[in-house]
Amino acid sequence: MSAHCMLTGAQPGFGNTISHSHRRTSRRFDPNIQTKRYWLPSEGRHVRLRLTTKGIRTVDVIGVEAAVARIRARGVKV
């Protein structure tokens, strides 16, 4: 489960690479996953989250407490 966003749930997409001669080969479109460390004041500790860049911007808007609550609501352990 390495290429999944903990907040948004983004996961790899699959498709084809099409060459100049129009031959198709399978490929995988991975989301832009970044590991980011946030201070969680309610628990007095740091948490390390694996987020897409969109997820990082979402945490900046809603705050880390609300983001961790959403992640836990999805059933992911933090």
Side-chain angles (χ1 to χ4, degrees):
M1 203 171 134
S2 60
H4 287 66
C5 177
M6 296 172 93
L7 181 61
T8 63
Q11 58 190 2
F14 296 91
N16 292 310
T17 297
I18 302 180
S19 70
H20 181 70
S21 64
H22 220 66
R23 290 176 60 106
R24 292 180 171 95
T25 54
S26 296
R27 65 158 294 178
R28 176 174 153 146
F29 295 91
D30 284 328
N32 188 3
I33 299 289
Q34 308 291 321
T35 302
K36 192 139 171 72
R37 190 170 168 249
Y38 290 100
W39 173 252
L40 196 57
S42 64
E43 297 181 17
R45 68 183 182 107
H46 285 96
V47 291
R48 186 163 286 141
L49 303 177
R50 292 179 49 80
L51 303 169
T52 55
T53 49
K54 180 181 177 182
I56 292 172
R57 289 194 304 269
T58 303
V59 171
D60 290 343
V61 171
I62 67 173
V64 69
E65 296 285 345
V68 168
R70 284 189 193 181
I71 291 170
R72 288 182 174 151
R74 291 186 69 239
V76 178
K77 184 181 176 208
V78 176

